[in-house]
Structures are given as C-alpha cells and as structure tokens.
Amino acid sequence: MRTFLPVPAQCLAPYLIVADAPGAIDFYRRVFGAEELFRLTEPSGKVGHAELRIGDAKLLLADEYPDFGALGPARVGGTPVSIHLYVSDVDATLARAEEAGATVMRAAKDEFFGDRSGMLLDPFGHRWQVASRIEEVSPQEMQRRWNTAMQG
C-alpha cells in the first residue's frame, strides 16, 4: 500500500490554463498583487507549471498543452467559471485591470449582500468577480433583501 505525506493545509486552488503564462503572471502580479512562488519553465520559455499567492490563496497556472487537453478559454469558446476575489478597493482594482488590458464586464456597484463588486475578463480569457466588503449582512437579512428585490 502506498503511503502519502500529510497535506500541509487543505485548500482549494484554481488552476488556470493560459496562452501566455509569463504575461498572465505579470498581469496577476500588477493587478491583484500576486506573489510568484515558483515556475517550471521549458527551455523554449513555455511554463509547465507556476504557483502564485494572492492574499491567503494559491493560484496555479500553466501555458496551454493541447496534446493533453490543457486548453485556455479562447480555444474552448470562453469560460463558464468566475473566480471570486476579495480586494481592499474594488474600484481601484478594476481600474488597474482595465489599464493592464482587461475588459470590465460589470462596473463596481453596491450589492444587497454587503459587497461592492464588479466583474472583469482578464486578457487570457478568465472571468474574475472582484469585491470589497462594505457591510456585514446576516444570511437572514440577505434573504429578506433578495426577496424584496425579486418582488420588483
């Protein structure tokens, strides 16, 4: 029977496939303040694997490898997935992202659930919901506000 080492900390980390991993790493560093932990690079410059830290979360990414099905959003017609990221200033983050080549899909606005949030599509085809907490709202109050919004 095989023995496995203990997991250092249980976590869920998105693994993004992109057409330009070095460019994506630079974008995530400039826009989200990501810290590059390491990358494995082929002699050609292609990134086989990279790990970044954004706040307390890890973000994993690699260049496309079509030969084994690792395709970026542009090759598969876009992405149905959004990555949610809390930031200290959602408006400034959206502005930085747009300046760095992202498309703002939804401008920041105050939401009933206590966040000010907006959405962007990064230059590599990944969709990000970015938010700043502006109010602590209980689940019961969120439901009440949701019900009110659904009534018109």
Side-chain angles (χ1 to χ4, degrees), residues 54 84-88 113 115-116 129-133:
I54 301 174
H84 191 278
L85 177 64
Y86 278 106
V87 297
S88 60
F113 45 86
D115 290 351
R116 179 167 177 78
Q129 172 104 15
V130 291
S132 297
R133 179 60 45 94

Side-chain angles (χ1 to χ4, degrees), residues 91-106:
D91 296 278
T93 299
L94 287 171
R96 258 193 328 275
E98 191 169 34
E99 185 177 294
T103 301
V104 174
M105 300 175 69
R106 195 177 71 237

Side-chain angles (χ1 to χ4, degrees), residues 4-142:
F4 294 97
L5 297 174
V7 176
Q10 187 173 15
C11 69
L12 178 67
Y15 202 119
L16 305 183
I17 304 301
V18 297
D20 174 14
I25 291 167
D26 183 57
F27 177 87
Y28 300 140
R29 187 178 315 141
R30 288 185 297 143
V31 174
F32 301 133
E35 171 193 359
E36 182 177 341
L37 302 175
F38 74 92
R39 72 173 86 175
L40 304 175
T41 306
E42 293 184 6
S44 68
K46 189 172 184 175
V47 175
H49 176 80
E51 294 190 10
L52 309 177
R53 183 182 323 281
I54 301 174
D56 293 334
K58 272 192 179 179
L59 176 65
L60 314 177
L61 65 92
D63 272 309
E64 293 181 312
Y65 282 85
D67 50 319
F68 64 85
L71 304 172
R75 287 202 195 229
V76 296
T79 180
V81 175
S82 290
I83 303 165
H84 191 278
L85 177 64
Y86 278 106
V87 297
S88 60
D89 183 338
V90 66
D91 296 278
T93 299
L94 287 171
R96 258 193 328 275
E98 191 169 34
E99 185 177 294
T103 301
V104 174
M105 300 175 69
R106 195 177 71 237
K109 70 174 193 168
D110 295 351
E111 299 286 359
F112 72 91
F113 45 86
D115 290 351
R116 179 167 177 78
S117 69
M119 185 176 289
L120 65 92
L121 185 67
D122 73 28
F124 313 95
H126 293 284
R127 189 171 45 215
W128 295 77
Q129 172 104 15
V130 291
S132 297
R133 179 60 45 94
I134 56 172
E135 176 187 14
E136 292 297 331
V137 181
S138 71
Q140 297 80 10
E141 178 60 15
M142 277 187 229

